[in-house]
Amino acid sequence: MDPILVENRGGWSIVTLNRPDRLNAFNPDMHRALAEALDRLGSEEDCRAIVLTGAGRGFCAGQDLEAVGTDTELDQTLERFYNPLVRRIRAMPKPVIAAVNGVAAGAGANIALACDIVLAARSAKFIQAFAKIALVPDSGGTWFLPRLVGEARARALALTGEAVGADKAADWGMIWKAVDDAALPVEAEALAAHLATQPTAALALIKRAFDGSAANTLDAQLDLERDLQKVAGALPDFREGVQAFMEKRPARFTGRPS
Ligand code: T3D
């Protein structure tokens, strides 16, 4: 069974973590297949948005604890697999939507949070499961969580490993939206299909602006916005967007950088 399924939906693609009997926990094969798929989709001009979801009843249960065995050099797994995965998602020059169809635990939760927009089925849960096995939240969890939900909630979630349901996650600002379970694929597809018609190169610049803001002072961020706006202003989609507005018609964006 392929650990990762990739389907081209015409303008956007859906990537499915596919080890449902292990709640899509990561092993090295799944990591390698996901990296290969994301690298390919990242450079495909015709793919203008990506949906990441899980097969079966879970989204992802993090590291496959059978595969890790008694390995004590866990830093190597992070260095080889998880950290490049989070960096790949953040640097992807197009929107990445997590469609969290079920439980997202450990690194699985934080990989969802690394995505640009997180939709979750109402029955899904987010669990910082690390402390329960005497580990530290990884895959960016200690960076994403305090920024999303604030220090108090982030610390408590990491220290207790308490599950957060999708509705509460949305109320807390951890994710974009909780939707009825049956509606998740439809909502995720509609969002991806919409984003695939938008000015992709400009969306990539927006991602860069937000990534920069995390470490920047207001002054530095103003400079970054100025620099990115210079690039955006030279995009053919900017000309098309303005022209479409003036002509009172929908814009026909190519998404291309030139
Ligand atoms: O470098 C490194 O390697 C360190 C990196 C660490 C990154 C991490 O992600 S550490 C955190 C690892 N993940 C966990 O600790 C979560 C473990 N799983 C759970 O706590 C529970 O499975 C869930 C809360 C996610 C879901 O519970 P539930 O009751 O809905 O399902 P279940 O019955 O526990 O799981 C269903 C099956 O999936 C079960 O197999 P079975 O009994 O049907 O044959 C279970 O063993 C398997 N499974 C679930 N999670 C994992 C897993 N198998 C391997 N690894 C898992 N992480």
Side-chain angles (χ1 to χ4, degrees):
M1 186 160 68
D2 291 337
I4 294 293
L5 305 176
V6 183
E7 253 181 275
N8 183 328
R9 296 287 185 89
W12 60 278
S13 295
I14 182 158
V15 175
T16 304
L17 308 175
N18 190 37
R19 301 186 68 230
D21 55 329
R22 288 280 161 266
L23 298 180
N24 306 315
F26 274 99
N27 64 8
D29 280 351
M30 192 163 104
H31 271 296
R32 279 188 280 267
L34 181 59
E36 189 274 326
L38 291 178
D39 283 348
R40 186 163 48 75
L41 296 176
S43 59
E44 270 178 19
E45 269 197 351
D46 291 346
C47 171
R48 292 168 65 184
I50 297 170
V51 173
L52 181 64
T53 195
R57 72 177 177 88
F59 174 74
C60 175
Q63 173 64 32
D64 186 318
L65 296 174
E66 263 181 40
V68 85
T70 52
D71 192 355
T72 51
E73 304 212 333
L74 302 186
D75 58 325
Q76 293 308 310
T77 320
L78 298 184
E79 190 65 19
R80 282 182 63 202
F81 294 127
Y82 289 101
N83 291 357
L85 170 57
V86 171
R87 290 184 176 120
R88 224 174 232 114
I89 292 171
R90 300 300 274 196
M92 184 66 67
K94 56 199 73 177
V96 183
I97 301 162
V100 180
N101 52 301
V103 68
N110 295 333
I111 284 155
L113 299 184
C115 294
D116 298 301
I117 302 180
V118 187
L119 295 176
R122 217 150 249 130
S123 67
K125 291 188 174 85
F126 296 80
I127 312 176
Q128 296 294 319
F130 305 89
K132 291 181 188 262
I133 54 169
L135 288 185
V136 175
D138 59 25
S139 305
T142 58
W143 194 90
F144 295 121
L145 268 182
R147 284 169 172 78
L148 292 169
V149 301
E151 185 82 13
R153 285 170 172 158
R155 281 186 188 242
L157 291 178
L159 293 170
T160 64
E162 199 175 286
V164 181
D167 278 317
K168 190 188 267 188
D171 287 348
W172 282 4
M174 191 194 294
I175 65 169
W176 166 237
K177 238 189 222 181
V179 301
D180 289 342
D181 287 18
L184 181 71
V186 182
E187 291 248 1
E189 288 176 21
L191 180 58
H194 165 71
L195 289 170
T197 65
Q198 296 305 295
T200 313
L203 302 190
L205 298 175
I206 293 172
K207 288 182 62 159
R208 276 174 56 190
F210 276 97
D211 283 344
S213 85
N216 276 346
T217 59
L218 174 59
D219 266 348
Q221 190 65 13
L222 290 171
D223 289 348
L224 176 62
E225 289 174 357
R226 176 203 58 208
D227 294 346
L228 294 174
Q229 203 70 298
K230 179 178 163 77
V231 181
L235 294 174
D237 279 343
F238 169 59
R239 286 193 296 280
E240 164 61 9
V242 174
Q243 201 172 332
F245 176 79
M246 299 308 287
E247 293 169 4
K248 299 190 186 304
R249 60 166 175 83
R252 291 182 292 269
F253 293 121
T254 66
R256 301 218 165 94
S258 56

